[in-house]
């Protein structure tokens, strides 16, 4: 019985993708998203190396000062890429989510280019580098510490929360959003404002991404 259900599920999933792919507008928007992402790829290291060389301001973050600086790179890495893989499995099951995810990632990263440029900050005291060999590939030659306002780690988790349709999935993404916000502050890689402003700014990005998708 379980094998039959699995086969039926595979058939329905394949049919869902075939029907989605037959829509010309879907293919056009998918192609556009892929082109934009390919164009952004070489921009990431250039931008992050540029902001790392500039001088910013460091402010006295009362809340952050109360939190001891601890290396929690492994939980951050596991949440970051574990939720990314989990969201991809949901996207595979629901093709309509693909465009929203791609445009969400695009708008989110472009918005961070803008906010990081407008709010030049020096890293918090006690910062510990996050071990993440995957993300580091986008940073360039040197580790980046000044990509602060707003927190990309927190924002990405909240984007998953907004995208995922099932209540149980949303609950999981909400929990990982809160955990990520706490962890990046424990690591002292972000100020409080970087974390607090991430969800509302991500929501604005999500609204724009949905219109684009």
């Amino acid at each position: 019985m379980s094998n039959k259900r699995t086969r039926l599920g595979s058939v329905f999933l394949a049919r869902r993708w075939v029907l989605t792919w037959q829509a010309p507008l879907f293919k056009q928007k998918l192609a556009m998203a892929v082109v934009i992402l390919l164009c952004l790829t070489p921009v990431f290291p250039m931008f992050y190396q540029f902001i790392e060389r500039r001088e910013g301001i460091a402010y006295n973050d009362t809340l952050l000062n109360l939190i001891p600086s601890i290396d929690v790179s492994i939980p951050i890495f596991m949440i970051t890429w574990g939720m990314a893989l989990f969201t991809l499995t949901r996207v595979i099951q629901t093709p309509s989510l693909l465009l929203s995810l791609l445009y969400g990632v695009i708008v989110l990263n472009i918005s961070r280019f803008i906010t990081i440029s407008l709010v030049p900050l020096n890293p918090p005291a006690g910062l510990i580098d996050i071990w993440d060999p995957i993300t580091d590939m986008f940073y360039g030659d040197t580790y980046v510490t000044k990509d602060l306002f707003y927190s990309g780690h927190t924002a990405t988790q909240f984007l998953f929360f907004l995208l995922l349709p099932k209540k149980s999935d949303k609950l999981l993404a909400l929990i990982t959003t809160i955990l990520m916000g706490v962890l990046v502050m424990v690591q002292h890689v972000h100020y409080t404002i970087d974390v607090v402003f991430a969800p509302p700014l991500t929501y604005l990005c999500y609204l724009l991404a949905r219109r684009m998708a």
Side-chain angles (χ1 to χ4, degrees):
M1 188 69 176
S2 60
N3 290 336
K4 184 177 180 181
R5 287 179 180 175
T6 302
R7 287 196 299 270
L8 284 173
S10 299
V11 170
F12 284 130
L13 179 60
R15 180 172 175 78
R16 201 177 301 147
W17 273 101
V18 168
L19 291 173
T20 303
W21 187 252
Q22 287 175 348
L25 188 59
F26 176 84
K27 286 184 280 192
Q28 292 171 15
K29 295 203 171 190
L30 178 61
M32 179 68 71
V34 171
V35 169
I36 295 172
L37 286 171
L38 289 175
C39 291
L40 281 177
T41 301
V43 174
F44 285 117
M46 291 189 293
F47 173 78
Y48 287 124
Q49 292 302 310
F50 165 73
I51 61 105
E52 191 63 20
R53 291 191 297 268
R54 73 176 180 180
E55 272 303 308
I57 60 171
Y59 72 93
N60 185 28
D61 189 330
T62 305
L63 178 58
L64 194 63
N65 292 339
L66 297 174
I67 303 173
S69 182
I70 303 171
D71 189 350
V72 287
S73 294
I74 293 178
I76 290 175
F77 179 84
M78 292 175 64
I79 291 173
T80 299
W81 296 106
M83 278 302 295
L85 289 173
F86 177 79
T87 303
L88 283 176
T89 62
R90 291 298 190 249
V91 168
I92 291 171
Q93 296 170 16
T94 312
S96 60
L97 293 177
L98 178 60
L99 293 180
S100 295
L101 176 63
L102 292 177
Y103 281 103
V105 170
I106 290 168
V107 175
L108 193 66
N109 279 283
I110 292 176
S111 74
R112 290 191 73 238
F113 287 167
I114 296 170
T115 56
I116 291 169
S117 298
L118 293 176
V119 186
L121 295 171
N122 282 339
L127 177 144
I128 300 174
D129 294 349
I130 297 178
W131 176 84
D132 188 337
I134 300 176
T135 303
D136 287 350
M137 291 189 295
F138 296 95
Y139 280 155
D141 296 332
T142 60
Y143 186 81
V144 175
T145 62
K146 297 181 180 180
D147 58 329
L148 295 170
F149 187 78
Y150 50 99
S151 168
H153 283 86
T154 310
T156 303
Q157 297 302 311
F158 194 67
L159 178 64
F160 295 155
F161 165 77
L162 295 170
L163 282 170
L164 294 169
K166 292 183 179 179
K167 289 184 178 180
S168 57
D169 294 347
K170 279 187 173 297
L171 178 60
L172 175 63
L174 182 60
I175 291 171
T176 59
T177 300
I178 296 169
L179 280 174
M180 186 63 76
V182 172
L183 290 172
V184 294
M185 290 182 65
V186 169
Q187 189 98 6
H188 280 227
V189 292
H190 279 290
Y191 292 105
T192 304
I193 60 168
D194 305 332
V195 173
V196 170
F197 276 89
L201 291 174
T202 303
Y203 180 67
L204 295 178
C205 292
Y206 170 72
L207 292 179
L208 178 58
R210 279 194 62 181
R211 291 182 65 86
M212 295 172 67

